[in-house]
């Protein structure tokens, strides 16, 4: 007989961390609404009081906590996290444990953390090559490109497991080479740090992502390269997104754009791609900050830049072009609550020419839009298709976990074997 766990968050205990909060130890088998209820009770707040603090009614919050209303807009989730004095990641159940696979090996995020916290990267003592021959710029460039390509194929375990060694070798080259080779090595080190920041953001490791982005900017600063600097600033924006600092991410977009505009008189395809992608990231931040005017303005600038570029491309692994702009129109519409736009436009966007990471991210938005439109069957089909394409990416995104848990909770009878299997693969069902 199917057993549906009672919706009583107080039955679950957390783990007290060094900073005194009750955070990461909470089971991943709670919906976001159930987490809200758990933290609300820990804070000693009634439903009416918490709802009033975010400008909502007690009835609305009651439905959220009992999974009768979907809670998938990050702006609303962030407002609740702020009042409860917890991080956005605490309500999204992040970070998620990175599974051991043949791709990842048994050294994953902790090994990457150790690489990022290597004091030699920020000390005056240099970064010795341990007596080994310094890597060549050509070989390093090939390795950086290969790992970025693996990320765009959504091979998250593979990327995480190999980043520490690549960071070590890129740092050794940046410290040990000279002249033009050193400048090229610094650029490659910056791009490696950017990949680390991007990957760690996907895994919910926001503090480490911030460190990686900061290290990348420091590495590339001596070169004065606007393209790589702009690319790294986009990762800073993603790190701001992941901690719910949406208005700061909007300001970063404006500042970064102003910096790049001085170099746009004769832009390369890579510079156009970085510039346009900054505005796509900024549009998401503006949507999550409930600022539709800025969202539209940023999307318009990105659209103009894509038109200037002329076609979809993947310069500096941006996947930028008209299709990525369309993807962001769907995602920002969903964040702003414009479900009709997301449902109408989303399925019509042909993403087959884009990297897997972009295709799957769009598929998750389609699943969210269908679910919000009470078309759960189509939503489940979209999510299952996305999982087939890139299981690691789906497993590490809050939308897929939230959707699967909500479908399980709303079942009046026994859930289908397909749905139960999905929930177990996403690690949200015991």
């Amino acid at each position: 007989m199917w057993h549906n766990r009672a919706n009583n968050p107080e039955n679950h205990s957390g783990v007290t961390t060094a900073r005194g909060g009750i955070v990461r130890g909470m089971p991943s088998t709670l919906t976001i609404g159930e987490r809200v209820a758990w933290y609300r009770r820990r804070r000693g707040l009634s439903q009416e009081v918490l709802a009033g603090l975010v400008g909502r009614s007690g009835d609305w919050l009651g439905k959220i906590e009992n999974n009768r209303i979907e809670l998938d807009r990050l702006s609303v989730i962030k407002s609740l996290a702020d009042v409860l004095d917890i991080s956005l990641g605490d309500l999204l159940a992040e970070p998620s444990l990175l599974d051991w696979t043949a791709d990842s090996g048994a050294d994953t995020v902790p090994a990457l953390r150790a690489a990022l916290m290597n004091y030699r990267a920020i000390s005056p003592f240099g970064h010795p090559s341990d007596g080994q021959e310094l890597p060549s710029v050509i070989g390093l460039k090939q390795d950086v490109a290969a790992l970025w390509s693996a990320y765009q194929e959504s091979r998250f375990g593979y990327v995480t497991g190999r980043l520490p060694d690549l960071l070590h070798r890129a740092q050794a080259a940046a410290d040990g080479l000279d002249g033009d080779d050193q400048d090229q090595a610094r650029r490659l080190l910056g791009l490696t740090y950017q990949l680390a920041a991007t990957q760690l953001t996907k895994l919910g490791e926001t503090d480490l992502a911030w460190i990686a982005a900061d290290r990348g900017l420091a590495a590339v600063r001596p070169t004065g390269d606007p393209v790589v600097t702009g690319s790294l600033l986009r990762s800073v924006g993603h790190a701001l997104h992941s901690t719910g600092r949406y208005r700061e991410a909007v300001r970063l977009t404006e500042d970064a754009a102003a910096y790049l505009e001085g170099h746009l008189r004769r832009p390369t395809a890579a510079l156009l791609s970085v510039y346009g992608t900054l505005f796509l990231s900024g549009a998401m931040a503006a949507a999550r900050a409930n600022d539709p005017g800025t969202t539209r303005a940023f999307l318009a600038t990105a659209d103009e830049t894509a038109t200037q570029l002329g076609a979809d491309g993947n310069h500096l692994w941006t996947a930028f072009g008209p299709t990525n702009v369309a993807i962001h129109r769907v995602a920002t519409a969903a964040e702003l609550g414009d479900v009709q736009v997301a449902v109408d436009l989303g399925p019509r966007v042909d993403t087959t020419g884009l990297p897997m990471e972009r295709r799957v991210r769009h598929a998750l938005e389609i699943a969210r839009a269908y679910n919000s439109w009470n078309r759960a069957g189509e939503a489940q089909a979209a999510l299952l298709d996305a999982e087939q394409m890139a299981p690691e990416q789906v497993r590490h995104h809050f939308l897929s976990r939230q959707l699967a848990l909500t479908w399980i909770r709303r079942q009046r009878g026994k859930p289908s074997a397909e749905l139960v299997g999905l929930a177990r693969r996403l690690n949200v069902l015991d």
Side-chain angles (χ1 to χ4, degrees):
M1 178 178 177
W2 171 253
H3 176 68
N4 192 358
R5 179 176 294 182
N7 294 336
N8 182 3
E10 290 184 298
N11 289 339
H12 306 282
S13 60
V15 172
T16 304
T17 67
R19 72 173 189 255
I22 308 294
V23 287
R24 300 296 194 264
M26 192 186 297
S28 61
T29 52
L30 300 184
T31 65
I32 294 175
E34 290 163 0
R35 288 173 178 273
V36 169
W38 193 92
Y39 284 111
R40 174 180 62 75
R41 288 167 175 146
R42 291 288 303 183
R43 295 302 188 197
L45 299 175
S46 67
Q47 286 184 339
E48 290 71 19
V49 169
L50 177 57
L53 290 171
V54 296
R56 303 282 184 143
S57 69
D59 179 64
W60 171 85
L61 185 59
K63 291 176 179 177
I64 288 293
E65 293 183 352
N66 287 297
N67 304 310
R68 292 162 59 196
I69 293 180
E70 197 72 37
L71 189 58
D72 59 4
R73 291 181 60 191
L74 284 173
S75 58
V76 179
I77 299 170
K78 180 61 167 58
S79 66
L80 288 164
D82 286 345
V83 171
L84 292 167
D85 191 30
I86 57 177
S87 74
L88 179 64
D90 291 334
L91 287 184
L92 297 181
E94 292 179 332
S96 300
L97 183 68
L98 186 63
D99 292 338
W100 287 343
T101 65
D103 252 0
S104 71
D107 293 317
T108 58
V109 174
L112 183 51
R113 177 183 290 108
L116 290 171
M117 298 184 74
N118 183 347
Y119 75 91
R120 290 187 179 276
I122 58 173
S123 74
F125 309 123
H127 193 283
S129 59
D130 300 327
Q132 298 179 0
E133 183 179 353
L134 290 173
S136 70
V137 168
I138 293 176
L140 200 58
K141 186 176 182 179
Q142 292 172 341
D143 292 343
V144 170
L147 216 53
W148 265 104
S149 296
Y151 167 78
Q152 290 195 318
E153 293 166 3
S154 299
R155 297 173 64 190
F156 291 175
Y158 180 89
V159 172
T160 304
R162 283 153 183 80
L163 268 169
D165 177 66
L166 184 58
L167 280 170
H168 177 82
R169 290 188 291 112
Q171 185 71 62
D175 288 340
L177 298 175
D178 53 28
D180 184 59
D181 281 349
Q182 184 178 53
D183 276 350
Q184 291 190 58
R186 285 170 172 164
R187 292 186 185 95
L188 292 167
L189 176 59
L191 289 170
T192 305
Y193 273 122
Q194 183 190 352
L195 177 55
T198 303
Q199 179 64 87
L200 288 164
T201 299
K202 290 285 190 187
L203 300 178
E205 297 282 356
T206 55
D207 293 344
L208 290 178
W210 183 267
I211 292 172
D214 178 70
R215 293 275 178 83
L217 285 168
V220 78
R221 189 173 293 120
T223 72
D225 188 317
V227 178
V228 180
T229 299
S231 191
L232 274 155
L233 287 171
R234 177 166 54 101
S235 290
V236 175
H238 289 157
L240 291 170
H241 282 211
S242 65
T243 54
R245 296 155 68 187
Y246 305 129
R247 296 195 184 280
E248 288 183 61
V250 169
R251 288 194 293 272
L252 172 72
T253 300
E254 295 166 343
D255 291 343
Y259 162 73
L260 290 178
E261 279 163 7
H263 302 275
L264 286 173
R265 294 180 187 87
R266 293 181 179 178
T268 63
L271 180 56
L272 283 174
S273 298
V274 167
Y275 183 73
T277 307
L278 270 171
F279 281 98
L280 293 182
S281 176
M284 287 300 301
R288 289 167 179 170
N290 281 317
D291 185 348
T294 301
T295 302
R296 287 192 295 270
F298 282 0
L299 285 173
T301 302
D303 194 32
E304 292 168 5
T305 308
T307 299
Q308 188 177 357
L309 184 64
D312 289 333
N314 194 26
H315 304 284
L316 221 64
W317 307 285
T318 56
F320 182 70
T323 304
N324 210 349
V325 175
I327 284 175
H328 281 76
R329 288 195 189 282
V330 174
T332 53
E335 289 293 344
L336 290 167
D338 297 332
V339 179
Q340 180 74 61
V341 172
V343 169
D344 289 346
L345 178 59
R348 300 206 310 265
V349 179
D350 182 3
T351 63
T352 52
L354 295 188
M356 184 61 69
E357 185 274 333
R358 290 285 80 205
R359 295 175 59 192
V360 171
R361 182 65 186 85
H362 181 61
L364 292 179
E365 285 298 344
I366 293 175
R368 168 161 69 160
Y370 278 146
N371 189 67
S372 298
W373 211 243
N374 294 319
R375 292 161 65 175
E378 289 164 284
Q380 289 184 32
L383 184 54
L384 286 165
D385 286 346
E387 188 198 24
Q388 274 200 326
M389 290 190 289
E392 285 183 271
Q393 184 175 349
V394 170
R395 188 160 57 247
H396 287 287
H397 202 283
F398 91 94
L399 273 178
S400 51
R401 299 194 302 268
Q402 172 71 1
L403 286 169
L405 266 173
T406 299
W407 295 330
I408 288 286
R409 293 289 193 272
R410 288 180 178 174
Q411 292 291 316
R412 294 183 179 178
K414 182 179 179 180
S416 67
E418 190 174 49
L419 179 54
V420 171
L422 173 65
R424 285 185 172 144
R425 291 192 299 276
L426 296 181
N427 299 317
V428 296
L429 189 65
D430 292 334

